[in-house]
Amino acid sequence: MSYNFYAEKHDAQDLRILHKRLTECSLIEFFPVDISGGSLVLGISIPFKAMDDPQLENELKETMTWLVIEQGFLVVDLFTGKAIDPGDIPGLTQRLSIP
């Protein structure tokens, strides 16, 4: 089981930089959903076994900051259906709704 998000961007993206940055994550998993033309959709998964890891908070904060603020991705929490706003990033780990 896992907690899931999707990230979407409709601008050109350097996939080498994206791959390098996202493979630095050890607790969060990423997978391509759609890569076509100038559009990119990624799946983001946090395995429930990683939820108690003390490093998750920092990794999630850094990753969401990079995706949402620095790269301009629309990231949506698939449990709540809400987009992640920059103001949501601090403390996001504590607000994850685990079924």
Side-chain angles (χ1 to χ4, degrees):
M1 299 289 295
S2 62
Y3 199 90
N4 300 296
F5 299 86
Y6 82 82
E8 180 177 9
K9 187 173 181 185
H10 294 287
D11 296 334
Q13 180 70 38
D14 186 331
L15 296 179
R16 290 175 294 152
I17 293 172
L18 180 70
H19 181 264
K20 181 183 181 315
R21 177 64 174 84
L22 297 181
T23 55
E24 293 173 358
C25 294
S26 62
L27 300 171
I28 303 171
E29 301 170 354
F30 303 88
F31 53 94
V33 174
D34 182 42
I35 302 173
S36 58
S39 178
L40 173 64
V41 179
L42 298 173
I44 302 170
S45 178
I46 303 172
F48 284 161
K49 65 182 180 183
M51 293 300 252
D52 292 329
D53 191 302
Q55 299 302 315
L56 179 62
E57 183 173 5
N58 189 51
E59 187 171 298
L60 186 60
K61 180 181 175 185
E62 288 180 3
T63 301
M64 291 299 178
T65 297
W66 188 77
L67 287 170
V68 174
I69 297 172
E70 297 176 25
Q71 298 298 307
F73 276 85
L74 168 66
V75 177
V76 175
D77 178 326
L78 292 178
F79 184 73
T80 65
K82 295 180 182 177
I84 303 300
D85 293 319
D88 296 331
I89 296 172
L92 181 59
T93 307
Q94 289 78 28
R95 291 189 303 273
L96 296 180
S97 301
I98 300 175

